Amino acid sequence: MAAVVRVVEPVRMPSLALVPGSVRAGLAGLVRADMAARVRTARREVDAAVARLRRAGWRARGSVRVGVPLPELLRAVREERAGMLALGARGAGGAVRLLLGSVADGALKRASVPVLIVR
């Protein structure tokens, strides 16, 4: 069984202690709306990937999680009893992570199963 997992990282609002409460509430609403939109987009992408896998003859299911990407992916590996973790590398980190990215690098170091990184 293939499990397609997409992790949406939550948006953290900075401290807005000096901003009026009505403005803070409005910003919080915008952040919630943005998160909901990002989760909907992730769900569509996961559903499309699962459909492609099924058309190719695989048994597959998908899930969208909200949280810090690496811990959520490692949790999914444990929960799914996965035999392998496959993930893409964007290389969006600093110079040290230029080729892999922090999530891919962390998965290589911390995953309990073989890791396939696709660039």
Side-chain angles (χ1 to χ4, degrees), residues 69-79 85 106-107 110-112:
L70 182 58
E72 285 298 325
L73 288 172
L74 296 176
R75 185 175 298 114
V77 165
R78 285 191 309 276
E79 291 172 1
L85 172 61
R110 296 181 45 201
S112 59

Side-chain angles (χ1 to χ4, degrees), residues 12-109:
R12 305 269 189 234
M13 284 188 35
S15 173
L16 301 172
L18 300 176
V19 175
S22 60
V23 174
R24 280 195 313 266
L27 289 173
L30 290 173
V31 168
R32 281 192 302 276
D34 177 64
M35 276 301 299
R38 292 190 310 134
V39 168
R40 282 191 305 274
T41 298
R43 170 53 48 200
R44 282 192 302 272
E45 292 170 353
V46 165
D47 289 346
V50 167
R52 282 192 303 273
L53 286 167
R54 288 179 177 165
R55 282 193 302 273
W58 289 72
R59 289 182 24 228
R61 67 174 169 262
S63 68
V64 174
R65 296 168 179 243
V66 175
V68 179
L70 182 58
E72 285 298 325
L73 288 172
L74 296 176
R75 185 175 298 114
V77 165
R78 285 191 309 276
E79 291 172 1
E80 296 289 336
R81 296 188 184 118
M84 180 179 72
L85 172 61
L87 63 141
R90 295 184 300 169
V96 172
R97 296 183 182 105
L98 183 61
L99 295 176
L100 294 179
S102 60
V103 174
D105 185 50
L108 283 172
K109 292 175 182 169

